[in-house]
Amino acid sequence: MAMIGSSIITDGLLIPPSRIKRRVFPADSSIILVGCRGAGKRTLGFIAAKHLGRRLVTEEHYFEQSTGCSRALFMQKYGRETFNQQMEIVLARMLKMNQAHCVIECGTGTLSPDMEEIIKGYVETNPIIYIHRDREDLYKLLNLPVTDAERLLVTDQKHRDFSNFEYFNLLDSSGEGQITEECSLRSATTSTARLVEAKQDFRNFIDHIFGHGLTRSWVSNPFSMKAIPPEYRSYTYVFCLRLSTIINMDVDLSTLEAPGEAIEYIVDTWPNNVLDLTATHVAQIRRKLDIPIIFNVEENPREERKRPIEEKDTMDLEFMLHGLRLGVEYLSLDLERTPGLVTRILSMRGRTKIIGNYIVKGFGAPKWTDDIYIERYLLAQRLGCHVVRIARFCAVDRSDELRQIFIDRIQALPEPKPCIVAYDFSVFGVVLPFQGDTLNPVGHDTLEKSAREQMVGVSTTRGTLRDVFRKGWLQPLNFYTLGSNVYYSASPSMHRAAYEHYMMPHTFDARRCTSFDEIDRICREPGFGGASLAAPFKVAIMSRLDHLSSHAIAIGAVNTLLPLRGDTDSIFDHANARNRAGSANKFYGDNTDWSSIVTCLRRAISPRNSVQPSRTTALVIGAGGMARAAIYALIKLGCKMIFIHNRTTAKAEDVATHFNMYAAEQGLLGTQGQPICQVIGSASDPWPEAYQQPTMVISCIPAYGTDDTPAVDFRMPSHWLQSPTGGAVIELAYEPLITPLVDQVRKIREEGNTSWVIVDGLEVVSEMAMEAFELMTGRKAPRRLMRRVCNETWEKTSAPFQAQR
């Protein structure tokens, strides 16, 4: 052991005396957006400001406020030199006066050294995000001559020098009128909203910067995929994807859906534009696969030249820091690399979790019982690693018993401690893909194994899960849709397809139930895995459940039922007991109907009908469990003027009272305390004069009549569909698919008012099934597959019997 200044070197590794939290910013610190003209800073600034509830400050507006004229006019009057001097003054004042609670857009298209220094002054106190986009898209957007565009891009690269985060603004084609043409009976238009995917991507990025993502997910639903990180879940797999593979493959990433619980992006080659390439790939993985990213810079890639140690450290440090700037969830760091590199990465990690790696190579590697593995684990713990991953090379001396002894020794250490991942590997990759419970490396069926690959064998997530079930470590379960009229449910086919995707031997059936005795008998079965609930149980079952999500409590209805089989009361234990059979005496109720409705509304609402709390109105038809979820969805979107119509007015008034009380408790009422929900008693009533016509209409009438809902042939009064800007109509029924409301809105569109968007029941039910699958199994839903199966099943079983137009 030796001392260097205030740092300690142990076993050749530099250990910082205190874990400096660089790139971890106060929750109220202003976000500063930089980048060239056309990168999308203004749009992303609006998204971030709305998401965080902050004020957007733009350099352009601040300049006009400070000088009394626009930038173009100022430069015309006083010349470029004086303009640049004034820009520096305005920039310095703008940043100084708005250091907290803001999103600041810097229009620094032309940078001077002095302006760079001004922004650099905030790199330790504020998130500075460099926004850039594909150069071909930028050329088209700006319509500049090639020479001018290239000059602009060269200047743009300077933003990397004084920013601490980087966001590649991937092109989002949503809102370009995606027409459903595969079946004449389907909705006319399923998407008009702009930047749906870009909004979600950037919101997630902002949440990562401030560490809000996990908290938001946990509060929303502790069983959701994003609430429990993959290192804390059982039987999780890491899909390994190399930069060299992506460059050469002719495969759309979205076709690799649900490849594992995380993706390890391995930088193993160094093209000239490697920083731009990795930024692009990270953005594509986020959008198309939506799973956590482990950023891994390989030290000695196969088939690449051997680099001198100085060049290797310089290059790889730049690549790793680039990964941290991209806001990846994890970074893989070999703790046996040079002390300076390790220390720098640990000090700059920000909110990114560090996976401390040890790879023990060569014949005669120490056995798992050797103390060297415990010592390396403890060192990684002292360094602040979140996960420790140890891979040991073996030829013929593999011993699962000895490896388990090592794991048991780690588990016996006091908490808190890093998660441990330990496995043997050979020249063919990992010896067995299920040596441990978490983060086992796997490949994909559609991709050939790269000759560069060292760890991944021939195993995939689905193949490994099949073996795990065969070994009895997980058990086949029975899942259901339960309700009085579920014979037509589209859910079973979607869930079964997802089980087949993962090779999980579960079953899913629609079971007609009319009493709680029948529900109880099903739930008490040892093989009960979970259920989606339909009428009439959604509201009545609330008092019978042991635990409820915050959403179910707020809505007053449950649509998802899960058995709790954990050995303790810990949510982690209950979550990891999914896919395991056994008796269950406690049950958890959640409601995902609302989030499915939110997803569909966000896709359907056009920009001119975006929700404005002070004027946007909505109409909900019905007052059952689905209507409650619809109202909650509208409130979550920010709508504060919601009207309810139901054949039984008293039922509608009860629902309105419930949500008005909820709004009062949450502080959501208007400035004058006006209620959020009001009831329209009769279909002959005129639309209330003091309110705009509704731009969001949600029909929650089931495909069958009951005593407390409008008749199934209910027709919307035409005087309630007079919005001059149209709107979004969501029909939750899908059997029949063409309900009177859908037919009515189609005719309105045919008459020329194409600003009305129809979302039919199949769109909503597919979203519901995907969320239910993830909650019930703890696995990422193969969304493209489930949506396709939903449509195919309906076309085979129901479309031939639908009324033709």
Side-chain angles (χ1 to χ4, degrees):
M1 179 183 292
M3 295 289 296
I4 297 182
S6 60
S7 298
I8 304 171
I9 294 183
T10 302
D11 297 331
L13 183 63
L14 189 65
I15 301 177
S18 62
R19 298 171 189 169
I20 302 171
K21 294 279 183 141
R22 298 181 68 185
R23 298 178 66 255
V24 175
F25 305 99
D28 63 348
S29 57
S30 290
I31 296 171
I32 302 171
L33 305 180
V34 299
C36 74
R37 180 162 55 97
K41 301 187 301 296
R42 180 75 54 85
T43 299
L44 295 176
F46 275 118
I47 293 171
K50 184 174 182 179
H51 180 56
L52 298 174
R54 297 185 177 186
R55 183 166 54 95
L56 177 62
V57 178
T58 68
E59 185 183 282
E60 180 181 16
H61 181 67
Y62 204 88
F63 187 94
E64 291 187 16
Q65 279 189 321
S66 302
T67 64
C69 62
S70 68
R71 291 180 297 185
L73 182 59
F74 189 97
M75 187 162 64
Q76 183 181 353
K77 291 173 64 174
Y78 302 106
R80 178 168 292 277
E81 183 177 353
T82 304
F83 169 75
N84 287 340
Q85 293 173 353
Q86 187 62 39
M87 280 291 295
E88 293 167 11
I89 294 171
V90 169
L91 178 63
R93 185 184 303 154
M94 178 180 69
L95 294 176
K96 182 179 181 181
M97 300 298 293
N98 298 282
Q99 290 187 56
H101 303 293
C102 295
V103 177
I104 303 172
E105 181 223 341
C106 293
T108 50
T110 303
L111 290 171
S112 68
D114 290 337
M115 292 177 72
E116 291 181 28
E117 290 302 315
I118 291 170
I119 299 177
K120 279 182 183 178
Y122 294 87
V123 75
E124 295 290 341
T125 59
N126 294 79
I128 304 174
I129 307 175
Y130 165 43
I131 309 292
H132 61 118
R133 71 193 319 160
D134 180 77
R135 63 173 56 206
E136 297 299 327
D137 294 336
L138 198 62
Y139 290 163
K140 295 176 184 178
L141 182 67
L142 297 180
N143 196 26
L144 292 174
V146 174
T147 53
D148 291 348
E150 289 294 337
R151 190 182 307 116
L152 182 66
L153 289 173
V154 169
T155 303
D156 186 48
Q157 295 289 322
K158 295 180 182 179
H159 290 104
R160 278 202 177 109
D161 299 335
F162 56 83
S163 56
N164 42 38
F165 286 98
E166 183 168 331
Y167 182 82
F168 184 83
N169 191 10
L170 199 63
L171 180 67
D172 186 351
S173 59
S174 60
E176 296 181 357
Q178 299 172 13
I179 308 298
T180 303
E181 297 177 343
E182 65 271 13
C183 176
S184 62
L185 295 172
R186 292 301 308 280
S187 310
T189 307
T190 59
S191 176
T192 62
R194 295 181 62 247
L195 305 178
V196 175
E197 295 172 326
K199 288 176 183 177
Q200 190 57 54
D201 290 347
F202 199 58
R203 285 194 292 255
N204 291 341
F205 187 76
I206 295 300
D207 282 345
H208 171 82
I209 290 175
F210 289 112
H212 293 161
L214 186 61
T215 302
R216 289 183 191 273
S217 298
W218 180 268
V219 171
S220 177
N221 190 327
F223 284 91
S224 67
M225 293 294 299
K226 295 184 178 180
I228 304 178
E231 66 267 28
Y232 292 106
R233 304 204 303 268
S234 294
Y235 300 107
T236 55
Y237 303 95
V238 176
F239 169 45
C240 298
L241 187 62
R242 294 178 167 270
L243 171 58
S244 59
T245 301
I246 301 180
I247 291 174
N248 296 314
M249 77 178 187
D250 186 23
V251 177
D252 182 358
L253 281 177
S254 61
T255 63
L256 307 177
E257 63 177 350
E261 281 63 50
I263 184 167
E264 186 152 6
Y265 177 79
I266 303 171
V267 178
D268 64 339
T269 187
W270 319 297
N272 292 331
N273 60 338
V274 62
L275 298 184
D276 288 337
L277 270 178
T278 52
T280 305
H281 293 160
V282 166
Q284 291 173 336
I285 290 169
R286 282 175 173 148
R287 180 165 299 176
K288 297 185 177 185
L289 299 180
D290 190 28
I291 54 177
I293 298 172
I294 302 172
F295 197 88
N296 185 349
V297 179
E298 203 162 66
E299 183 177 6
N300 298 302
R302 294 176 178 176
E303 302 182 2
E304 295 288 343
R305 64 180 176 85
K306 187 174 182 179
R307 299 171 292 171
I309 186 65
E310 296 82 4
E311 179 189 8
K312 184 191 302 183
D313 282 357
T314 300
M315 287 176 62
D316 292 356
L317 176 63
E318 180 183 20
F319 296 154
M320 291 183 194
L321 291 174
H322 184 58
L324 295 176
R325 287 166 45 80
L326 294 173
V328 295
E329 289 82 1
Y330 303 86
L331 186 136
S332 175
L333 176 62
D334 188 342
L335 296 180
E336 294 186 313
R337 299 195 67 157
T338 54
L341 183 149
V342 172
T343 302
R344 182 73 187 281
I345 294 301
L346 290 171
S347 68
M348 296 294 290
R349 64 184 181 268
R351 302 283 183 184
T352 295
K353 297 180 182 180
I354 300 298
I355 298 178
N357 268 346
Y358 289 110
I359 302 177
V360 184
K361 297 181 179 179
F363 294 98
K367 295 185 182 299
W368 284 110
T369 49
D370 195 300
D371 286 344
I372 189 174
Y373 298 108
I374 294 290
E375 292 168 2
R376 290 180 174 181
Y377 176 88
L378 294 175
L379 179 57
Q381 182 180 29
R382 291 197 297 272
L383 289 171
C385 295
H386 300 80
V387 180
V388 182
R389 183 167 58 178
I390 302 177
R392 172 187 173 273
F393 181 84
C394 71
V396 294
D397 62 339
R398 179 176 67 87
S399 172
D400 291 336
E401 293 78 12
L402 295 183
R403 188 185 58 81
Q404 189 58 50
I405 290 173
F406 165 68
I407 296 291
D408 292 341
R409 292 178 67 186
I410 296 296
Q411 300 299 346
L413 295 174
E415 298 285 356
K417 58 178 180 282
C419 296
I420 179 67
V421 179
Y423 47 76
D424 290 303
F425 73 100
S426 70
V427 292
F428 301 107
V430 175
V431 176
L432 289 175
F434 36 77
Q435 294 180 65
D437 283 350
T438 58
L439 302 183
N440 289 289
V442 295
H444 197 279
D445 293 331
T446 61
L447 298 178
E448 291 186 11
K449 179 183 175 181
S450 170
R452 297 171 178 246
E453 187 54 65
Q454 301 178 41
M455 293 297 169
V456 177
V458 296
S459 300
T460 62
T461 295
R462 61 198 304 261
T464 305
L465 273 177
R466 176 187 57 190
D467 289 340
V468 167
F469 276 96
R470 285 177 174 175
K471 289 178 179 294
W473 298 338
L474 299 178
Q475 293 84 45
L477 298 177
N478 304 313
F479 297 86
Y480 302 91
T481 288
L482 303 176
S484 60
N485 287 276
V486 294
Y487 65 92
Y488 62 87
S489 175
S491 294
S493 61
M494 287 186 281
H495 284 266
R496 291 167 189 162
Y499 300 154
E500 183 177 349
H501 171 84
Y502 279 111
M503 295 188 177
M504 297 190 295
H506 297 323
T507 66
F508 196 105
D509 295 297
R511 182 75 62 85
R512 184 176 185 272
C513 296
T514 57
S515 69
F516 278 115
D517 288 340
E518 295 172 282
I519 299 279
D520 288 339
R521 280 196 296 272
I522 292 172
C523 293
R524 302 297 175 182
E525 295 172 356
F528 175 70
S532 296
L533 298 178
F537 300 110
K538 290 188 175 186
V539 177
I541 202 172
M542 294 276 290
S543 61
R544 293 172 169 262
L545 301 180
D546 303 278
H547 300 281
L548 295 166
S549 72
S550 59
H551 302 302
I553 294 171
I555 294 169
V558 163
N559 81 321
T560 304
L561 181 63
L562 299 177
L564 299 178
R565 293 194 174 101
D567 295 330
T568 71
D569 288 334
S570 165
I571 289 294
F572 289 126
D573 280 353
H574 289 312
N576 284 327
R578 286 177 288 193
N579 303 296
R580 288 192 172 98
S583 61
N585 298 315
K586 293 184 178 181
F587 297 88
Y588 174 82
D590 195 9
N591 193 304
T592 60
D593 289 339
W594 74 272
S595 51
S596 303
I597 294 170
V598 164
T599 298
C600 292
L601 279 172
R602 282 178 172 158
R603 284 201 294 253
I605 299 172
S606 64
R608 58 179 174 175
N609 285 328
S610 60
V611 177
Q612 303 293 327
S614 61
R615 61 184 181 86
T616 300
T617 61
L619 173 63
V620 174
I621 307 298
M626 287 300 297
R628 287 171 172 265
I631 294 167
Y632 186 69
L634 292 167
I635 292 174
K636 285 293 187 180
L637 284 172
C639 183
K640 293 189 175 183
M641 288 174 272
I642 303 167
F643 291 87
I644 307 169
H645 174 67
N646 190 60
R647 188 173 70 176
T648 306
T649 303
K651 182 78 175 288
E653 290 174 345
D654 288 344
V655 173
T657 300
H658 172 89
F659 282 102
N660 287 332
M661 291 177 61
Y662 167 79
E665 293 169 357
Q666 301 295 317
L668 299 175
L669 298 179
T671 54
Q672 299 180 0
Q674 63 266 33
I676 279 186
C677 294
Q678 300 180 58
V679 175
I680 299 182
S682 171
S684 61
D685 290 348
W687 190 257
E689 292 184 1
Y691 297 87
Q692 293 188 1
Q693 283 273 328
T695 52
M696 293 181 288
V697 178
I698 307 176
S699 174
C700 306
I701 306 169
Y704 48 88
T706 63
D707 292 338
D708 55 10
T709 59
V712 71
D713 61 351
F714 171 79
R715 296 183 179 276
M716 182 77 67
S718 59
H719 53 276
W720 292 357
L721 292 172
Q722 297 298 316
S723 167
T725 58
V729 174
I730 292 186
E731 174 59 86
L732 298 183
Y734 59 91
E735 185 63 37
L737 189 67
I738 307 304
T739 63
L741 176 60
V742 170
D743 186 57
Q744 189 175 1
V745 178
R746 278 185 161 183
K747 289 178 180 177
I748 293 175
R749 288 178 55 84
E750 290 169 356
E751 291 168 0
N753 190 352
T754 57
S755 54
W756 281 102
V757 178
I758 309 168
V759 179
D760 64 36
L762 287 182
E763 291 290 323
V764 186
V765 76
S766 61
E767 290 293 333
M768 293 175 180
M770 292 176 224
E771 289 205 39
F773 173 84
E774 293 184 349
L775 287 178
M776 292 174 181
T777 66
R779 299 286 165 189
K780 186 75 176 174
R783 304 181 74 85
R784 287 161 57 100
L785 170 66
M786 294 180 75
R787 187 174 286 113
R788 186 181 75 246
V789 168
C790 176
N791 294 338
E792 290 174 351
T793 301
W794 182 85
E795 288 174 12
K796 290 177 182 177
T797 60
S798 298
F801 305 101
Q802 300 288 310
Q804 300 296 313
R805 301 184 63 203

